Amino acid sequence: LKPGARIGLESSCPLFVVRKIQEFLPSEAVTIIDEHLLALRLSKTTSEIAHIRRATEIVEATAADLRAYIKPGLSRLHLISLAKRLMLEHGATGIGHTTIAFGTSNPEIAYDEILPENQLVTLDLGAAVEGYLSDNRRLFYTGAIPADLHALHKTMCEIVEQVGLALKPGVAFADLYTLAGELYSAQDLPPFFLSVGHSIGLQTEEVWISPDSTYTVQPGMVLNIELYTAYQDGSHIGDEETFLVTDAGTIRLTSSDPAIQSV
């Protein structure tokens, strides 16, 4: 390092790294630059987009393969294990997350419950490709899908799609939040969200699309629109899709049909 050099770090940098740097530089030469690094990360390069696109393809292929295994009597722990194995077999270099739920069970706590008949199965999966992550949600049902559940999910998919179409350069994140609220109200649905979604890249959630956000949509951003509402049994019904922002608008990177599938 040259005399007078300064080093910019993220605040999440491990303490032992900071201390090692301070052996060579005075403390005033070390600066926290979270916002600068985040701004750089939000607009993806061509190669970064390719990694995220590939990670998204892997998750969708995995969800399609898992349909053959989802049937009454299946263990949730076994399903989680299958999801991880299939993502790796499809070419993932790492696992982002396997947030899987049966009915109203907590998807963040994995335990060995058994899948019953006439039960909703939520697959919220994320694969990693060279450090870049995907995040996708697909629903299955063990039996004939109730008409009201099908209709509610279809409505939520339409809302997610409309917000996705609004992802144009210059649109404020806060305005996207307002739009989502208006779309919920138009369907007589109570607001059931703290954010509209998030950007994705080296982290599954980089920046939330929230009402107090100061960010605007920019070309090169990859954004997940993620919205839910409550079904009568207490389960969360919704959709999550990944969009790439371009100068002309958006390209949806998730290509599979989001409709609930009966198994």
Side-chain angles (χ1 to χ4, degrees):
L1 294 171
K2 296 179 180 179
R6 299 177 70 203
I7 288 184
L9 300 176
E10 287 187 285
S11 55
S12 57
C13 182
L15 180 60
F16 78 90
V17 175
V18 176
R19 286 179 172 169
K20 178 58 67 174
I21 290 172
Q22 289 175 339
E23 291 179 11
F24 301 93
L25 289 174
S27 58
E28 61 269 18
V30 179
T31 305
I32 300 300
I33 56 169
D34 286 357
E35 289 301 316
H36 297 288
L37 290 174
L38 183 57
L40 289 172
R41 286 167 54 185
L42 285 176
S43 184
K44 272 64 178 181
T45 65
T46 300
S47 61
E48 289 176 311
I49 292 168
H51 290 324
I52 297 173
R53 187 188 294 272
R54 178 66 185 130
T56 302
E57 292 169 351
I58 289 169
V59 160
E60 293 200 300
T62 297
D65 288 350
L66 286 174
R67 181 177 183 179
Y69 297 93
I70 298 174
K71 57 188 65 176
L74 175 67
S75 157
R76 182 150 71 104
L77 291 182
H78 184 51
L79 181 56
I80 291 170
S81 177
L82 283 170
K84 292 178 179 179
R85 177 172 64 81
L86 288 169
M87 281 192 276
L88 294 173
E89 289 181 356
H90 279 294
T93 60
I95 304 300
H97 61 277
T98 51
T99 309
I100 294 174
F102 293 170
T104 58
S105 61
N106 187 338
E108 303 295 342
I109 302 175
Y111 58 93
D112 200 17
E113 62 179 318
I114 302 301
L115 179 62
E117 295 182 355
N118 302 314
Q119 183 71 79
L120 185 72
V121 178
T122 301
L123 300 182
D124 193 320
L125 305 176
V129 173
E130 303 301 333
Y132 289 86
L133 300 163
S134 58
D135 188 11
N136 189 222
R137 183 183 180 99
R138 291 294 180 259
L139 303 181
F140 297 83
Y141 195 87
T142 56
I145 303 169
D148 60 342
L149 174 59
H150 183 274
L152 181 61
H153 183 254
K154 184 174 183 292
T155 295
M156 293 308 304
C157 290
E158 291 170 351
I159 290 175
V160 167
E161 186 69 17
Q162 290 180 71
V163 176
L165 291 174
L167 297 176
K168 298 179 180 179
V171 174
F173 279 18
D175 289 342
L176 294 170
Y177 184 93
T178 300
L179 171 62
E182 293 170 350
L183 293 171
Y184 269 64
S185 296
Q187 297 293 334
D188 293 325
L189 293 173
F192 192 73
F193 54 90
L194 298 176
S195 74
V196 175
H198 54 84
S199 65
I200 187 168
L202 291 171
Q203 292 176 287
T204 303
E205 292 103 4
E206 290 178 325
V207 171
W208 291 100
I209 305 175
S210 58
D212 58 351
S213 176
T214 59
Y215 289 98
T216 60
V217 178
Q218 298 298 329
M221 286 185 172
V222 179
L223 301 172
N224 271 44
I225 301 303
E226 179 179 11
L227 290 165
Y228 310 104
T229 194
Y231 184 50
Q232 61 181 6
D233 65 356
S235 57
H236 295 174
I237 303 302
D239 185 32
E240 181 172 16
E241 305 294 341
T242 306
F243 297 89
L244 167 64
V245 181
T246 71
D247 290 321
T250 58
I251 298 171
R252 199 176 80 160
L253 298 185
T254 41
S255 59
S256 62
D257 186 351
I260 301 176
Q261 299 184 49
S262 178
V263 292

